[in-house]
Amino acid sequence: MIDARACFAPVLAFFLGLPPGQILPAAESKAGPSDQSNYTEVERLNAGLPDTEGVDLGTPQAALETFIDACERGDYGAAAHALNLNATPIDRQALEGAALARRLKDVMDRQVWFRWDAIPDRPDGQLDEASLKRMSEGADGPRSNIKLGALFIGDRDYEIRLERLKPADGDPAWVFSGQTVKHIPALHAEFGPSRIERYIPTALKRVRVAKVWLWQWIGFAIFLVAGALLGWLTEKVLALLARIDAPWLRTIIEALQGPGSMVLGLWTFYFLARSSLGLSGPIMTVLDPLCIAVLVVSLVWFLRRLIAFLSERICSRYSGLQTDEANVLITRIEVVRHVLTFAVFLVGGIFALSRFEWFRQVGVMVLASAGVAGLILGIAAQRVLGNLFAGLLLALTQPVKSGDAVIFEGEFGWVEEITLIYLVVRTWDGRRIVAPIAYFLDNPVQNWSRKTQQLIQPLMIHADYRVDVEAVREEFRRLMEESEEWDRAVPPILQVTDCKEGSVELRALCSSANPSDNWNLRCRVREGLVAFLQRHEGGRFLPRSRVLLNDTGDGEGSGDGRPPAG
């Protein structure tokens, strides 16, 4: 007879997005609810072990409890029943089984952590309904083996598994798999008790704090202090070596101060803890990437300081030249320094974070939603990326350079620092104007040092209409000849450029090798010309205002300023 539900179950499952097995009733599934036949049949199981009361191997959780409880009370013979010893000769199973159980317990105490609610307590190896709600994934149908964990020796992994075996003369039983038992000697040699553990008092081996033995916490603290002390001593030694009179060697030593001592102290602690404490696998899965991340951070720190020190030493050779070529070189060195620093931080940060599983999962999620994530990140980082590209554009085109004298938004100053995202202008009174590079490039800037620092600036003086211009011109020429700031590129020129209501405007041209000298030259000449007008013929050529007074009270004048009629 054809079952309509069985025929339409796949179609219904397709529209509901469910597996067909969830549409058919459990009683009609192929395996059936009482099907517990998923096991490996063997002729016998641990025939060389004596019968022991209290051994329960009916479920994975019961077998694990039997093994752990027997080991903790020292009955390793009973614990051997939870091992698949069929590969061991029958006459040696009792003796070797107890030794293997002891070794496996040592390895599991140090390296294998598991959750009891993740271990099935059913003969078929399935999780119950309550556990399924707590676990993210389960298994359909009876299970023949369960993985408790995996340990790595080099690049090879060794799994700790329980398997379900059925001897010909008995019921199915859950035991540690034959492969796991085979690898116990190798695992114990790698992860067993360390040398230092043999000298630890028994009382410290019986107390656990957060699943870690108390003696391991004490050793952890001791090795941490030892690493910190070694790092401090390294810092002192590097400080003494930094006094060596060798500039380049001193630069490297100064860059090592801090990063070098931190790396040496950290890896001293890591080596001692890993080789002597026998820390468990879950702890090492946190400690290993953390130490690698700190090492990468130290390397980034060292490279950043080395780049900064080297660029500083190179720039210091050219900073006092006050030439356009020197400013171009300094600007390029600074931009390269910032680009290298950015690259070091970017690569080091990604590599350090990639050691952590949570970061890799976030990376997978970002790649899975690349379109939406890219749009959000693009909008959020629009201004930062705009300034970054503007910084690269400024480095390539160089409309301004380090050391250039500029007028930006009405402020005179010198370009003090150029980074990838902002620029610093030091004003004449010591203030710093920090502007994003994109904003700086979007606004007009007067660059008084582009191509050459030679500068010509006018100086304005106002005098009376009766002034002797030739006498003032001679005085201006004399002042220029006596000034050290005049570069003699432009002859001393003084001209009348405007006529005001009460004075004439005299313009004198002052040329100097750089803007600073030009400012000082104009101040010096202005003071000299004012002093000359004050003392020349009693100051009669200084600007003055004239007022014509008309007396109209006695009839001798008119109110319109005309002379009286005669």
Side-chain angles (χ1 to χ4, degrees):
M1 181 177 178
I2 299 176
D3 191 339
R5 291 176 298 174
C7 293
F8 288 102
V11 178
L12 185 60
F14 174 78
F15 284 105
L16 295 178
L18 298 172
Q22 295 188 17
I23 303 299
L24 288 174
E28 298 184 13
S29 64
K30 204 168 184 179
S34 60
D35 185 7
Q36 301 178 8
S37 61
N38 201 358
Y39 47 70
T40 302
E41 293 185 355
V42 293
E43 182 178 351
R44 59 183 182 274
L45 178 63
N46 299 340
L49 296 181
D51 294 336
T52 304
E53 296 183 359
V55 175
D56 183 4
L57 306 176
T59 68
Q61 193 172 111
L64 201 55
E65 286 179 351
T66 297
F67 176 77
I68 292 176
D69 291 344
C71 289
E72 287 184 350
R73 65 175 182 265
D75 189 357
Y76 295 102
H81 284 271
L83 307 179
N84 181 0
L85 299 173
N86 286 350
T88 304
I90 294 178
D91 58 338
R92 292 162 51 190
Q93 284 183 0
L95 181 61
E96 293 187 10
L100 290 172
R102 178 194 290 270
R103 292 180 179 179
L104 180 59
K105 181 61 167 56
D106 287 340
V107 172
M108 291 185 64
D109 281 344
R110 291 163 176 79
Q111 299 297 322
V112 182
W113 283 7
F114 57 85
R115 291 168 48 188
W116 280 103
D117 61 351
I119 307 300
D121 197 18
R122 292 168 44 140
D124 59 3
Q126 290 181 315
L127 292 168
D128 56 20
E129 186 176 353
S131 296
L132 282 172
K133 293 180 180 179
R134 294 191 295 268
M135 300 296 293
S136 60
E137 54 185 39
D140 294 326
R143 303 166 68 181
S144 62
N145 63 83
I146 294 174
K147 178 181 176 180
L148 297 179
L151 305 179
F152 287 85
I153 301 179
D155 57 352
R156 183 178 177 185
D157 64 320
Y158 297 82
E159 294 183 345
I160 308 297
R161 283 188 177 273
L162 293 174
E163 64 179 352
R164 195 181 187 207
L165 304 178
K166 185 185 182 304
D169 58 349
D171 296 327
W174 285 91
V175 293
F176 285 94
S177 68
Q179 282 294 102
T180 300
V181 174
K182 176 184 175 181
H183 295 144
I184 288 177
L187 294 174
H188 188 267
E190 180 71 19
F191 303 109
S194 59
R195 297 179 182 178
I196 194 173
E197 190 174 348
R198 302 171 186 172
Y199 304 98
I200 301 299
T202 306
L204 296 179
K205 297 180 182 179
R206 295 177 179 175
V207 181
R208 285 179 181 265
V209 179
K211 295 187 179 182
V212 180
W213 298 110
L214 180 59
W215 73 270
Q216 289 178 325
W217 282 113
I218 297 175
F220 197 89
I222 293 175
F223 292 153
L224 190 61
V225 172
L229 181 61
L230 183 60
W232 179 78
L233 292 176
T234 304
E235 187 74 11
K236 295 298 182 183
V237 172
L238 290 175
L240 293 176
L241 293 176
R243 301 177 181 177
I244 298 176
D245 189 16
W248 292 104
L249 180 61
R250 187 167 66 248
T251 298
I252 298 176
I253 294 175
E254 289 175 351
L256 277 173
Q257 286 183 291
S261 57
M262 186 169 69
V263 168
L264 187 59
L266 171 70
W267 282 96
T268 299
F269 156 76
Y270 177 74
F271 174 77
L272 293 175
R274 188 177 181 86
S275 61
S276 303
L277 297 182
L279 297 173
S280 62
I283 294 179
M284 296 309 299
T285 57
V286 175
L287 190 61
D288 285 346
L290 184 62
C291 289
I292 293 176
V294 175
L295 175 64
V296 173
V297 170
S298 302
L299 180 60
V300 170
W301 186 11
F302 165 71
L303 291 177
R304 186 255 177 195
R305 296 189 66 178
L306 183 62
I307 293 170
F309 285 145
L310 290 176
S311 61
E312 201 174 299
R313 286 193 176 276
I314 296 174
C315 290
S316 63
R317 294 185 174 184
Y318 302 96
S319 59
L321 297 182
Q322 297 291 331
T323 61
D324 190 65
E325 292 77 8
N327 289 341
V328 169
L329 182 61
I330 292 173
T331 301
R332 289 176 178 173
I333 292 174
E334 287 186 351
V335 172
V336 170
R337 172 170 68 91
H338 290 297
V339 170
L340 290 178
T341 302
F342 176 77
V344 166
F345 272 104
L346 182 63
V347 175
I350 293 177
F351 183 81
L353 291 175
S354 66
R355 302 298 93 191
F356 298 95
E357 182 64 27
W358 62 266
F359 183 79
R360 289 195 289 267
Q361 294 177 357
V362 171
V364 172
M365 293 172 59
V366 171
L367 290 176
S369 59
V372 178
L375 180 62
I376 295 174
L377 290 175
I379 294 174
Q382 180 180 6
R383 296 180 64 85
V384 176
L385 293 177
N387 282 311
L388 182 62
F389 286 119
L392 295 176
L393 181 63
L394 185 143
L396 294 175
T397 60
Q398 292 190 348
V400 295
K401 306 175 294 298
S402 292
D404 278 0
V406 298
I407 295 181
F408 178 61
E409 295 193 336
E411 296 280 358
F412 173 78
W414 294 267
V415 177
E416 185 176 55
E417 183 180 3
I418 299 176
T419 70
L420 289 179
I421 57 176
Y422 66 89
L423 178 144
V424 180
V425 176
R426 175 174 54 86
T427 62
W428 65 273
D429 55 356
R431 292 177 292 117
R432 265 67 175 180
I433 300 175
V434 181
I437 289 185
Y439 178 80
F440 186 85
L441 295 179
D442 287 341
N443 290 274
V445 180
Q446 291 187 39
N447 189 344
W448 288 5
S449 303
R450 185 167 175 80
K451 299 297 183 182
T452 177
Q453 295 197 43
Q454 196 272 338
L455 191 65
I456 303 172
Q457 284 288 304
L459 184 152
M460 302 299 182
I461 291 290
H462 291 85
D464 189 71
Y465 272 88
R466 294 173 295 176
V467 66
D468 185 354
V469 176
E470 189 59 34
V472 178
R473 185 175 289 117
E474 289 296 328
E475 178 66 16
F476 170 64
R477 189 177 293 111
R478 185 187 67 80
L479 292 172
M480 292 289 286
E481 292 289 348
E482 294 178 356
S483 299
E484 298 179 357
E485 294 86 357
W486 181 40
D487 61 356
R488 290 169 173 76
V490 177
I493 299 175
L494 187 140
Q495 297 170 314
V496 178
T497 56
D498 198 2
C499 294
K500 305 293 183 180
E501 182 177 354
S503 63
V504 293
E505 182 183 75
L506 306 178
R507 186 188 72 177
L509 297 181
C510 302
S511 66
S512 299
N514 56 71
S516 297
D517 287 348
N518 192 273
W519 172 267
N520 293 328
L521 175 62
R522 283 186 293 149
C523 291
R524 188 190 307 276
V525 172
R526 185 183 295 111
E527 293 172 2
L529 291 179
V530 170
F532 172 76
L533 291 177
Q534 287 176 344
R535 67 174 181 269
H536 186 61
E537 297 187 16
R540 61 191 297 261
F541 300 130
L542 290 173
R544 63 183 62 191
S545 298
R546 293 175 174 82
V547 179
L548 181 61
L549 299 179
N550 297 317
D551 187 3
T552 60
D554 55 1
E556 295 194 5
S558 59
D560 57 3
R562 291 177 296 173

